Amino acid sequence: MTSATNLTRAIADVVSLDGWVEEGEQGLQIHADVVFRTASVGGNKGDAVRFRLSLFRAELVSIIRSTEGLKLKPSSIARDRVKRTIAISNSSESGRTSSRGFQGGLGLSPVNLIARLRGTYHNDRTRTNITTLSESTELDNIAVQHRKGSDGNHRWELVSADGKILNGSGWDSSKAPRFEIEKPLASQLDRCILFQVRCLREDMCFKDITLIPNKGAPVELSGPSNRNKLAAAEAYIKTKLVEHGLLAGDLDNPFAEICLLETIVEV
């Protein structure tokens, strides 16, 4: 196992991120462990707000700058995909149709007519096979899908399989490295791989927001003031992101991209 230094910068415990390097058969395996939960944010001395924060969706982004001199092996990339299967089921419906036909001679007496009456009864059974195609999706607790962004960085999108908040991990980090790189030549320079957890503003779920005035006594607001509470929580997030030098878009924009956490793995 190759030693690595993991330096993490984050704003909350809503997501944890760890990364490390292991010796592979033909290169170095780069592992990343991402775990989500609902976290309590703020409420410390001097904070004007406290709340619970969860995520509906997030992306793990790997960044390898060209100046690092590291070569990623494309065939080793964990190209996770949502698994879809087609289920085929057969069902049958049976039906019964009947017809009764009679032939009789004209001019005969009723007795002779009955005696000579030839009746035919036709009994036909029909069976119809119905084939139904239905699409089903096989998902773990968190669905993962890989893509390569327009910036050239590899991304793994994580979405809750049941459409609710993210809770837990999307893969077994000890058994499923994100990718492998060729072993770099010996050098005195530190080589680094950067992992970031990003989301959009609309992917963030704020709950139980409480404002804390300067005197320190929490104040519960309701009705029209709910927007004031949400604005205070957004301002808190924005401030912490800026303090840590992380990407922070306009939180009034639901599609603003935000970097919640990053970690540096030295190779």
Side-chain angles (χ1 to χ4, degrees):
M1 178 176 178
T2 301
S3 61
T5 300
N6 189 1
L7 306 175
T8 303
R9 295 186 294 176
I11 64 166
D13 291 330
V14 66
V15 55
S16 66
L17 175 60
D18 191 17
W20 67 92
V21 183
E22 290 185 357
E23 291 275 359
E25 293 182 359
Q26 298 180 350
L28 300 179
Q29 295 179 347
I30 309 301
H31 294 254
D33 184 38
V34 187
V35 182
F36 299 90
R37 73 183 187 97
T38 299
S40 177
V41 181
N44 298 318
K45 184 177 181 180
D47 291 341
V49 64
R50 71 178 182 217
F51 52 92
R52 298 186 189 279
L53 179 63
S54 306
L55 300 178
F56 296 113
R57 171 195 164 278
E59 285 190 328
L60 174 68
V61 184
S62 67
I63 302 174
I64 303 179
R65 298 182 177 89
S66 58
T67 55
E68 299 295 333
L70 299 175
K71 188 174 181 180
L72 186 150
K73 301 171 69 173
S75 61
S76 69
I77 298 171
R79 301 182 185 274
D80 304 78
R81 288 287 184 271
V82 175
K83 300 176 183 178
R84 298 190 181 275
T85 59
I86 300 298
I88 300 177
S89 60
N90 290 309
S91 61
S92 63
E93 294 182 355
S94 60
R96 178 174 179 172
T97 60
S98 64
S99 62
R100 189 180 299 272
F102 300 97
Q103 293 180 348
L106 295 178
L108 298 176
S109 66
V111 174
N112 291 332
L113 178 60
I114 294 174
R116 296 183 58 184
L117 188 63
R118 292 181 298 145
T120 59
Y121 177 79
H122 305 285
N123 185 6
D124 298 327
R125 288 184 178 274
T126 61
R127 182 176 296 274
T128 303
N129 291 323
I130 300 175
T131 300
T132 303
L133 299 180
S134 61
E135 182 176 328
S136 62
T137 304
E138 297 179 356
L139 297 175
D140 294 324
N141 185 40
I142 295 179
V144 182
Q145 180 140 331
H146 166 270
R147 71 182 179 91
K148 189 174 183 179
S150 58
D151 53 7
N153 296 320
H154 291 275
R155 294 172 173 240
W156 292 269
E157 182 183 36
L158 300 104
V159 182
S160 175
D162 58 8
K164 299 179 182 179
I165 60 175
L166 290 171
N167 184 34
S169 181
W171 56 79
D172 187 339
S173 57
S174 63
K175 298 179 180 179
R178 292 301 86 193
F179 51 82
E180 191 171 299
I181 62 173
E182 294 183 1
K183 292 182 180 179
L185 299 176
S187 174
Q188 298 298 321
L189 299 176
D190 292 331
R191 295 184 171 92
C192 299
I193 296 174
L194 178 66
F195 283 107
Q196 293 183 337
V197 176
R198 299 185 186 185
C199 70
L200 303 181
R201 167 59 187 89
E202 66 176 2
D203 299 324
M204 305 173 72
C205 176
F206 295 89
K207 287 186 177 181
D208 302 331
I209 305 175
T210 302
L211 297 183
I212 305 175
N214 292 333
K215 294 182 180 180
V219 176
E220 296 287 351
L221 299 181
S222 60
S225 299
N226 281 340
R227 177 55 203 167
N228 293 338
K229 295 196 293 182
L230 182 58
E234 291 174 338
Y236 180 92
I237 293 293
K238 179 83 172 184
T239 299
K240 293 300 181 182
L241 291 173
V242 172
E243 287 178 357
H244 288 82
L246 299 175
L247 175 66
D250 181 6
L251 296 191
D252 288 331
N253 178 5
F255 304 114
E257 188 172 37
I258 300 164
C259 178
L260 292 175
L261 179 151
E262 70 178 20
T263 187
I264 298 173
V265 178
E266 294 183 358
V267 180

